[in-house]
Amino acid sequence: MNDNFVNEFFGIGIQNGKTPENLGVLWRSAQNLGASFIFTIGNRYAKQACDTHNAVKSMPYYHYDTFEEFFNNLPKGARLVGVELTDNAQTLETFHHPRRCVYLLGAEDHGLTKEAIEKSHFLVKFNSTLSLNVSVAGSIVMYDRGIAKPRV
């Protein structure tokens, strides 16, 4: 087995997700695009996501009440990649994904918290002036990860 493949993993999740539907779509994409786990931070919706492919039964799902709880439980050696439309974020097109990382997305209306932005090892953004739907943004990040690009 290729050691580089074995040593690579990624998880993806949403901080303060706005709707269960967005979360369900992200989970389905995560299952299809090779995520190792999914997670949420905070609760802004009344019910869990609708997920037509049962992704939550196919891969580990974690929920954290606060960003601090999430950050303290990052997998050892994993880098936190915040997806946020900020001036100091690198464009996704030029970003080299870490071998072991966790992608964190914010809700469309609020984005990531200041704490999440400050504690991210990397920040990436799309070459766009407006924010994207969170499930679309997450799907694009995971698709880009699957493209043959150097890893850091």
Side-chain angles (χ1 to χ4, degrees), residues 18-39:
K18 188 175 174 182
T19 69
E21 291 78 18
N22 280 342
L23 193 54
V25 171
L26 182 67
W27 284 352
R28 182 176 176 183
S29 293
Q31 181 184 27
N32 288 330
L33 295 171
S36 303
F37 60 92
I38 52 181
F39 65 93

Side-chain angles (χ1 to χ4, degrees), residues 9-13 30 35-39 59-62 70 75 101-102:
F9 68 83
F10 74 93
I12 191 164
S36 303
F37 60 92
I38 52 181
F39 65 93
M59 68 175 66
Y61 163 68
Y62 304 97
F70 158 75
C101 69
V102 176

Side-chain angles (χ1 to χ4, degrees), residues 98-120:
R99 292 181 193 280
R100 294 169 295 282
C101 69
V102 176
Y103 298 100
L104 179 58
L105 303 132
E108 299 98 331
D109 55 350
H110 297 300
L112 295 176
T113 62
K114 182 180 180 193
E115 181 181 23
I117 291 170
E118 290 172 353
K119 291 198 173 185
S120 289

Side-chain angles (χ1 to χ4, degrees), residues 20 55 134 146:
V134 69

